[in-house]
Amino acid sequence: MNKIVLITGATSGIGLACAKKFAANGDKLILTGRNAQRLAEICSELKALGTQVFTLIFDVRDKDAAQKSIEQLPAEWQNIDVLVNNAGLALGLEPEYEGSFDDWETMIDTNIKGLLTMTRLVVPGMVARNSGHIINIGSVAGDAAYAGGNVYCATKAAVKALSDGLRIDVANTAIRVTNLKPGLVETNFSNVRFHGDNDRAANVYKGIKPLTGDDIADVAVYASNAPAHVQIAEVLILATHQASGSVIVRN
């Protein structure tokens, strides 16, 4: 049976990869993002392949815009089966005592509060139907801090705690909660972290074959397709030569 899958931050990276993989799985997609033009391009591309797509343009940091968008979904799109809380980012790599207040607020508002907003808006419908799956995109950074990671690591530790807490809250239902924790994934993640410094971003992936967005999307689709009695609670996905958030062997 085709599912309705809502993916936040679907215009690039892991979110876009998830959109393509769930589309290939035959699912219907609700894609959210801030870039209207990019969303329209992706929508056209996927529709040309036969996928049913509905787009919502908002920033997950904007609770009112998110609420309005979800509440105004057409009736045929309201029964969301899978929520992929993907929207997130890292900004800066400074010591905690030199960090940017603006960067901190953006990470906390996106990675934690944005995830909470979408969970609050979508999961009640799942509870009412006694069916659904929440897939949160966490990070290896949520397991242990690394140099310069401080606040970003804290936000991903929060994603783990929120995933675990939600799993407890819905344990009396048929809803499943999955926390995916990628390591090094080569997307625009580092370009964003270093505020567009492409050379510095490229150095993050030198000497190691990193993961791709597709690698993470494969796991998301697998978890979604597991039998109803199987809950893939948490998955740590690392590149072969990465042992943890701070141990990476480069050639």
Side-chain angles (χ1 to χ4, degrees), residues 164-219:
D164 292 346
L166 180 61
R167 195 177 303 110
I168 294 168
D169 291 337
V170 299
N172 63 324
T173 75
I175 296 169
R176 302 181 293 184
V177 181
T178 299
N179 180 23
L180 299 185
K181 305 188 300 184
L184 277 179
V185 183
E186 189 167 14
T187 62
N188 65 341
F189 175 88
S190 291
N191 303 74
V192 172
R193 163 167 256 170
F194 298 126
H195 299 280
D197 187 335
N198 294 330
D199 291 338
R200 191 177 179 191
N203 284 331
V204 173
Y205 309 107
K206 280 189 176 178
I208 186 172
K209 184 173 182 178
L211 302 168
T212 67
D214 284 346
D215 296 325
I216 311 308
D218 281 337
V219 182

Side-chain angles (χ1 to χ4, degrees), residues 16 42 75 90 123 146 154 167 224-225 232 241:
L16 177 56
I42 295 165
V123 175
Y146 55 76
R167 195 177 303 110
S224 173
N225 286 338
I232 310 297
H241 296 291

Side-chain angles (χ1 to χ4, degrees), residues 40-57:
E41 293 169 354
I42 295 165
C43 182
S44 296
E45 177 185 341
L46 293 176
K47 282 184 175 179
L49 299 174
T51 303
Q52 295 184 58
V53 185
F54 194 90
T55 58
L56 297 173
I57 304 163

Side-chain angles (χ1 to χ4, degrees), residues 18-233:
C18 283
K20 292 179 177 179
K21 292 286 184 177
F22 277 104
N25 192 54
D27 296 314
K28 298 166 62 176
L29 304 179
I30 301 173
L31 305 181
T32 86
R34 296 174 296 170
N35 188 326
Q37 180 178 344
R38 186 69 185 119
L39 271 179
E41 293 169 354
I42 295 165
C43 182
S44 296
E45 177 185 341
L46 293 176
K47 282 184 175 179
L49 299 174
T51 303
Q52 295 184 58
V53 185
F54 194 90
T55 58
L56 297 173
I57 304 163
F58 65 86
D59 188 327
V60 295
R61 293 178 295 171
D62 187 337
K63 176 177 62 68
D64 293 337
Q67 183 171 5
K68 182 177 179 181
S69 295
I70 297 300
E71 289 178 347
Q72 292 183 351
L73 279 171
E76 64 271 24
W77 287 96
Q78 288 179 3
N79 292 343
I80 297 164
D81 298 294
V82 181
L83 168 63
V84 182
N85 275 318
N86 164 75
L89 75 168
L91 291 170
L93 204 62
E94 296 82 15
E96 191 169 320
Y97 57 86
E98 294 179 352
S100 160
F101 288 109
D102 289 341
D103 286 354
W104 291 351
E105 289 182 8
T106 299
M107 286 187 283
I108 291 168
D109 288 349
T110 306
N111 300 359
I112 301 177
K113 292 168 69 175
L115 179 147
L116 277 171
T117 293
M118 296 306 299
T119 300
R120 181 65 181 84
L121 293 174
V122 174
V123 175
M126 294 181 174
V127 172
R129 297 187 299 274
N130 194 34
S131 175
H133 193 169
I134 302 92
I135 301 175
N136 291 331
I137 305 300
S139 172
V140 62
D143 288 345
Y146 55 76
N150 44 76
V151 174
Y152 173 70
C153 294
T155 66
K156 290 304 183 178
V159 171
K160 173 177 171 52
L162 292 171
S163 301
D164 292 346
L166 180 61
R167 195 177 303 110
I168 294 168
D169 291 337
V170 299
N172 63 324
T173 75
I175 296 169
R176 302 181 293 184
V177 181
T178 299
N179 180 23
L180 299 185
K181 305 188 300 184
L184 277 179
V185 183
E186 189 167 14
T187 62
N188 65 341
F189 175 88
S190 291
N191 303 74
V192 172
R193 163 167 256 170
F194 298 126
H195 299 280
D197 187 335
N198 294 330
D199 291 338
R200 191 177 179 191
N203 284 331
V204 173
Y205 309 107
K206 280 189 176 178
I208 186 172
K209 184 173 182 178
L211 302 168
T212 67
D214 284 346
D215 296 325
I216 311 308
D218 281 337
V219 182
V221 173
Y222 174 82
S224 173
N225 286 338
H229 71 286
V230 177
Q231 180 171 212
I232 310 297

